[in-house]
Amino acid sequence: MRLTVTGIEQTEADLAAAITETSDRLAASLLGELRAATPVETGRAREGWRRDATGIRNEVPYVGRLNAGSSRQAPAGFVEAAIDRALERE
């Protein structure tokens, strides 16, 4: 990312655009990591990952139990591990 200071208004606009771009890239990476890490029996939990104006969420009722280790397909804490991987990429 490169910013050139040309004036306060332009610098603010460039900075806002850079923040948005970085945020969008990180969210896309995180969504991919979460979907890949979520164990699959029916696919409902994996497909439950969504991004909206408030962030990334999964409203499938049992996703918390999966993250606590209820599935043999994924270790406990797979959500946190996915977040760590996404942040390492950035």
Side-chain angles (χ1 to χ4, degrees):
M1 169 180 11
R2 179 178 222 163
L3 293 174
T4 303
V5 177
T6 56
I8 191 70
E9 291 85 13
Q10 186 60 48
T11 301
E12 286 176 345
D14 290 347
L15 184 56
I19 290 169
T20 298
E21 178 185 327
T22 302
S23 175
D24 287 347
R25 191 174 56 245
L26 179 57
S29 177
L30 177 54
L31 212 48
E33 290 289 344
L34 287 167
R35 285 181 177 150
T38 303
V40 175
E41 185 171 313
T42 66
R44 183 175 174 210
R46 180 173 282 181
E47 293 304 315
W49 293 108
R50 299 277 185 264
R51 180 180 180 203
D52 61 22
T54 61
I56 295 174
R57 64 183 63 242
N58 190 325
E59 294 183 0
V60 172
Y62 53 85
V63 76
R65 289 191 305 273
L66 289 174
N67 192 49
S70 69
S71 172
R72 288 186 228 153
Q73 296 178 25
F78 71 86
V79 170
E80 292 80 359
I83 292 168
D84 289 344
R85 285 190 301 276
L87 289 173
E88 287 172 3
R89 287 179 165 184
E90 292 301 310

